[in-house]
Amino acid sequence: MTLWDGSYPFYPGPNACFPFDTTRAVIITVFLSMLVMFILILPGVRGRRRLFWLLRLVLGLFMGAVVLTVQFTRDWETGWVQANTSYKSFSHAQVNTDIGLHIGLAGVNITLRGNPVNQINETINYNEHFPWNFGADYDRSYSEGLEKGLPSPILYVAEKFSTQSPCAVHRQYRIAGHYASLTLWLAFCTWLISILLFSMSILLYGGRMLLLTAALIFFSLLFFFTARNTLKCPIQFGPVSLRTDYGESFWLTLATGLLCLLLGLGIVILNSVQPEKLKLIFSLDKSSKEEVWDKSCLPAEPSCSAQDVLMVPLGELCQVTATQL
């Protein structure tokens, strides 16, 4: 059975590690396109309002992009370990590998990478996803992994999150992921409403919507926090164990929630203490409008107006007329 470079001909090939997440790439591309489109019209904004307008644009798009992207990422909780372990069941061959565990809101990713990648006449570079979102069956994905003949380290880690595992962490992570995803979708909707209110110059309610967005983001973090702090079974590979910690998506979501909280509080406080400064930030002050209006009404070159003619003394006007004759 090793006529095909050591692989099993009757099983599909391994899922190699893709260089980036396509869903994340699409979301980032859309928001960057919106940013570039608005920057192209930035020269049309006059005076000091240009800086405030650019700042509001960047912060608003950043918050929306983060709230939408983290729902599809798989690094809310991550962990790596390097270990010498068996590669296949019923085999005594030992391989040196890096084993990674990446937990998201919709499932778990398990990465297996050899050191070096080519060992025992095989390319050891796997990245398997086992979903638990709505409409997905984790145990079925695990059974399909058994039928495909996945390496033993991947199946060992995946078995810890199955419903039949004595660890009993599947239910906690699955429910926490569902509630966290729901609250993040609500936070994205409230962010859209806040953008709409700011565009309509309803600043107070826009600030309150930012506060609601921050509260929903913090609730999503709380849901995931409760799932992570449940009792866990150790994932042991000989003398070493695989330990996880909060990943990039968790900390990025926390930073975005704090940013929404600070901006919302700032808008609400300025609206009650110094509303003129708030109107200046959002380019709603009367002085800037009057300045633009006055500049647009001024003539390009000085010319004689009707008032100037009326203010000339009558004697001088007659003298000039007689001279011309």
Side-chain angles (χ1 to χ4, degrees):
M1 300 295 291
T2 58
L3 298 178
W4 287 267
D5 296 329
S7 63
Y8 297 93
F10 301 109
Y11 292 98
N15 294 332
C17 298
F18 202 65
F20 57 86
D21 187 4
T22 54
T23 305
R24 186 189 307 183
V26 169
I27 295 174
I28 293 176
T29 302
V30 170
F31 277 87
L32 285 179
S33 301
M34 295 174 61
L35 179 62
V36 171
M37 180 182 64
F38 283 111
I39 288 178
L40 290 177
I41 65 175
L42 185 61
V45 182
R46 298 182 178 181
R48 58 185 177 183
R49 295 185 304 168
R50 183 181 304 173
L51 178 60
F52 292 133
W53 191 83
L54 178 61
L55 184 62
R56 297 197 310 267
L57 173 66
V58 173
L59 290 178
L61 291 179
F62 172 78
M63 291 184 294
V66 170
V67 173
L68 187 60
T69 304
V70 293
Q71 301 193 57
F72 305 99
T73 55
R74 300 170 183 176
D75 55 352
W76 280 69
E77 183 179 353
T78 60
W80 285 91
V81 67
Q82 184 176 359
N84 291 318
T85 180
S86 61
Y87 181 60
K88 295 285 186 179
S89 301
F90 309 106
S91 175
H92 298 287
Q94 296 283 321
V95 292
N96 185 272
T97 58
D98 289 328
I99 306 168
L101 175 61
H102 314 279
I103 302 175
L105 300 181
V108 58
N109 261 59
I110 304 172
T111 304
L112 182 68
R113 186 181 306 135
N115 289 319
V117 176
N118 296 316
Q119 298 183 49
I120 58 173
N121 297 325
E122 287 197 30
T123 300
I124 305 175
N125 191 16
Y126 291 82
N127 182 27
E128 298 292 331
H129 179 62
F130 299 91
W132 56 49
N133 55 335
F134 287 111
D137 190 349
Y138 185 93
D139 291 336
R140 182 178 179 180
S141 300
Y142 176 71
S143 300
E144 291 176 354
L146 290 173
E147 295 175 359
K148 289 166 58 178
L150 293 178
S152 297
I154 294 180
L155 296 176
Y156 170 68
V157 177
E159 190 272 336
K160 296 290 184 180
F161 292 89
S162 64
T163 57
Q164 305 299 327
S165 174
C167 297
V169 297
H170 174 83
R171 184 173 180 271
Q172 286 82 354
Y173 272 103
R174 185 172 181 268
I175 294 177
H178 290 170
Y179 280 105
S181 179
L182 176 61
T183 52
L184 284 175
W185 277 115
L186 292 175
F188 184 74
C189 294
T190 55
W191 169 80
L192 286 176
I193 296 175
S194 68
I195 296 298
L196 179 62
L197 291 174
F198 287 141
S199 64
M200 298 172 60
S201 303
I202 309 176
L203 306 182
L204 179 59
Y205 289 98
R208 291 176 179 176
M209 276 296 158
L210 279 182
L211 292 178
L212 182 57
T213 303
L216 291 172
I217 292 175
F218 290 146
F219 273 117
S220 67
L221 295 173
L222 180 62
F223 288 137
F224 191 82
F225 175 80
T226 55
R228 187 185 180 276
N229 284 272
T230 56
L231 295 177
K232 300 179 181 179
C233 292
I235 304 177
Q236 201 76 23
F237 293 95
V240 296
S241 60
L242 176 59
R243 301 182 182 275
T244 60
D245 202 355
Y246 293 115
E248 296 179 0
S249 294
F250 182 88
W251 296 115
L252 186 59
T253 306
L254 178 60
T256 305
L258 292 176
L259 180 61
C260 291
L261 178 63
L262 292 177
L263 292 178
L265 286 176
I267 291 173
V268 172
I269 293 174
L270 279 179
N271 184 79
S272 59
V273 177
Q274 293 180 338
E276 296 300 327
K277 288 188 176 181
L278 182 61
K279 292 180 180 180
L280 176 64
I281 295 175
F282 283 87
S283 304
L284 300 177
D285 54 326
K286 296 181 180 179
S287 59
S288 60
K289 293 182 179 180
E290 292 176 356
E291 182 181 356
V292 174
W293 175 259
D294 294 340
K295 289 182 179 179
S296 61
C297 293
L298 286 177
E301 294 181 357
S303 61
C304 182
S305 63
Q307 293 181 354
D308 295 336
V309 174
L310 292 177
M311 292 177 64
V312 175
L314 184 59
E316 296 181 3
L317 181 59
C318 296
Q319 183 179 359
V320 171
T321 307
T323 305
Q324 290 180 355
L325 293 176

